[in-house]
Amino acid sequence: MCCWCCCLECIHNIPPLNLLFLHFSDSPLPGEAAAAPAPAASGPASMASISVPNPVPSATEDAENIRKAVQGWGTDEKALIEILGHRTAAQRAEIAVAYEGLYNETLLDRLHSELSGDFRSAMMLWTTDPAARDAKLAHKALKKKVDRHVWVLIEVACASHPDHLVAVRKAYCAAYSASLEEDVAACPLYKDPLKQFLVRLVSSYRYAGELVDDELARAEAAELHDALVTRKQPLHGDVVRIVSSRSKLQLKATFERYKQDHGKAIDEVLEGRRSDQLAVMLKTAVWCLTSPEKHFAEVIRSSIVGLGTDEESLTRAIVSRAEVDLKKVKEEYRARYRKTVTDDVNGDTAGYYNGILLTLVGPE
């Protein structure tokens, strides 16, 4: 089974302090140094699904317990899940630095050597700095033409805070000696207007404040309706400009005005054109920008239904949202599909892979 971590990239030119977080290939490079940890957070975000013990053990204590779990003939996978699955990104970064300082090897190197399969993929993805993780996911997505890989680029560009996208772009440059924007623009798998749309999305830095212009929302709702309904061009230049540049709150006001003035929500209009790839990608962006829980509930569901399980998409959705808004995703999932994420994860996964996913999903 293909996993995110299966592609090895050369990153020897990355400054030493960035190496740990930019190193999460499934075939890790030896001798990489740990990155300085992000400032310690008091705990997960309010809509995050993970739980953190109180008090939290020191990073040194966690590192020592991880060492105990991986020494000897066997690996204590449950202990690894119990420690790393109940720590924030900042805490995991501190653990990784402490581990390398104590044992002269990176935590990711050790996880790679001790674990295997989908469990290894999930644990390494979870243990990696979020910006470096998204940079890696974006880089891999550029090598695949399937729509679900285009989703990854849209998620990275639209589903998090503007400052996170900046961090991803910096991590991408450090890892691949090229900008994310130029690699999207040069990708032979995409053609305009989709390519132009993706370039604009990954290049954006949106205003993150609370100011909303109601008159602008009215005018741009009309422009969107003209492009989508009258011209039937979901990625018309006006659409690309509006969706790739406006703040999330401004877009939410615009979409509300669209429904008010035209009697139908913009995502419903796009949903009715599922055979049109451009409309599908625009709907993905609309959801990621204003209602990411809808998009990630759909990602989880589509990864499970049908023949076989898409472990790559399932892991990405749960790992990437566990510290952001997975509680909201779970609520949306239950409301839309009349089942819980836990039920469906239990039905399609097993073993320690199931264990780390359920730890991140949290109680339901």
Side-chain angles (χ1 to χ4, degrees):
M1 173 89 41
C2 177
C3 62
W4 291 301
C5 304
C6 64
C7 179
L8 176 61
E9 304 292 343
C10 179
I11 55 173
H12 284 299
N13 60 334
I14 304 174
L17 285 178
N18 290 332
L19 280 171
L20 171 74
F21 295 137
L22 293 177
H23 162 213
F24 61 106
S25 167
D26 220 21
S27 299
L29 297 175
E32 293 177 346
S42 58
S46 61
M47 295 309 295
S49 58
I50 65 166
S51 60
V52 176
N54 185 17
V56 181
S58 70
T60 298
E61 182 180 348
D62 278 340
E64 290 171 344
N65 286 329
I66 288 173
R67 185 67 170 185
K68 293 175 184 176
V70 298
Q71 280 187 318
W73 288 102
T75 301
D76 187 348
E77 290 90 347
K78 289 183 179 179
L80 295 177
I81 294 172
E82 185 63 26
I83 297 169
L84 294 172
H86 291 283
R87 302 293 186 271
T88 66
Q91 290 161 354
R92 297 193 302 275
E94 292 176 348
I95 293 168
V97 171
Y99 186 92
E100 184 171 3
L102 288 169
Y103 306 112
N104 198 32
E105 66 174 359
T106 70
L107 178 56
L108 290 174
D109 279 335
R110 175 55 72 171
L111 291 177
H112 178 269
S113 67
E114 293 289 331
L115 310 179
S116 62
D118 295 319
F119 178 51
R120 176 170 67 184
S121 298
M123 287 295 288
M124 293 186 70
L125 201 66
W126 174 248
T127 305
T128 302
D129 169 73
R133 173 203 302 154
D134 281 354
K136 177 70 175 184
L137 292 173
H139 187 260
K140 185 172 183 181
L142 289 171
K143 302 178 185 299
K144 307 282 187 175
K145 193 175 182 179
V146 182
D147 282 358
R148 64 187 175 89
H149 294 286
V150 185
W151 285 0
V152 176
L153 295 173
I154 297 174
E155 291 167 11
V156 168
C158 301
S160 297
H161 192 278
D163 289 340
H164 177 73
L165 177 56
V166 172
V168 172
R169 285 154 58 182
K170 289 180 178 179
Y172 192 99
C173 282
Y176 306 111
S177 299
S179 72
L180 176 56
E181 303 93 306
E182 67 181 300
D183 277 1
V184 173
C187 181
L189 300 178
Y190 307 133
K191 306 298 181 184
D192 286 334
L194 177 59
K195 178 183 287 189
Q196 180 193 25
F197 183 53
L198 294 174
V199 170
R200 290 287 296 269
L201 290 179
V202 300
S203 304
S204 69
Y205 184 70
R206 301 174 191 274
Y207 167 67
E210 297 183 0
L211 182 64
V212 171
D213 186 330
D214 291 330
E215 184 58 29
L216 180 65
R218 183 199 62 76
E220 292 191 335
E223 291 182 62
L224 291 174
H225 185 265
D226 179 64
L228 296 177
V229 178
T230 305
R231 304 188 187 198
K232 299 189 182 303
Q233 297 178 21
L235 293 186
H236 181 275
D238 289 337
V239 178
V240 172
R241 171 182 55 80
I242 292 167
V243 175
S244 67
S245 64
R246 300 304 183 198
S247 74
K248 294 183 179 183
L249 288 180
Q250 183 67 45
L251 286 172
K252 185 169 289 190
T254 298
F255 299 153
E256 288 173 355
R257 187 60 186 252
Y258 185 103
K259 183 176 183 179
Q260 176 183 329
D261 290 352
H262 304 290
K264 199 170 187 179
I266 189 170
D267 58 333
E268 293 176 7
V269 173
L270 296 170
E271 181 71 20
R273 299 167 62 179
R274 295 183 69 89
S275 61
D276 183 343
Q277 184 202 32
L278 301 183
V280 171
M281 294 307 144
L282 178 58
K283 190 200 81 168
T284 300
V286 167
W287 274 3
C288 284
L289 286 163
T290 60
S291 305
E293 67 278 4
K294 293 182 179 180
H295 170 72
F296 286 101
E298 186 171 277
V299 172
I300 293 172
R301 183 65 174 174
S302 65
S303 72
I304 288 173
V305 297
L307 294 176
T309 303
D310 178 2
E311 288 89 354
E312 184 174 315
S313 296
L314 177 62
T315 304
R316 183 186 82 247
I318 291 175
V319 166
S320 65
R321 305 315 287 185
E323 290 185 273
V324 182
D325 61 356
L326 195 52
K327 283 184 180 179
K328 291 181 71 174
V329 175
K330 291 189 294 183
E331 293 169 0
E332 174 69 21
Y333 196 94
R334 182 192 289 268
R336 195 189 311 183
Y337 303 116
R338 305 303 178 190
K339 297 186 73 176
T340 67
V341 173
T342 298
D343 288 340
D344 278 349
V345 169
N346 272 330
D348 272 59
T349 65
Y352 297 117
Y353 175 56
N354 171 272
I356 182 59
L357 292 185
L358 291 185
T359 296
L360 301 183
V361 167
E364 290 193 82

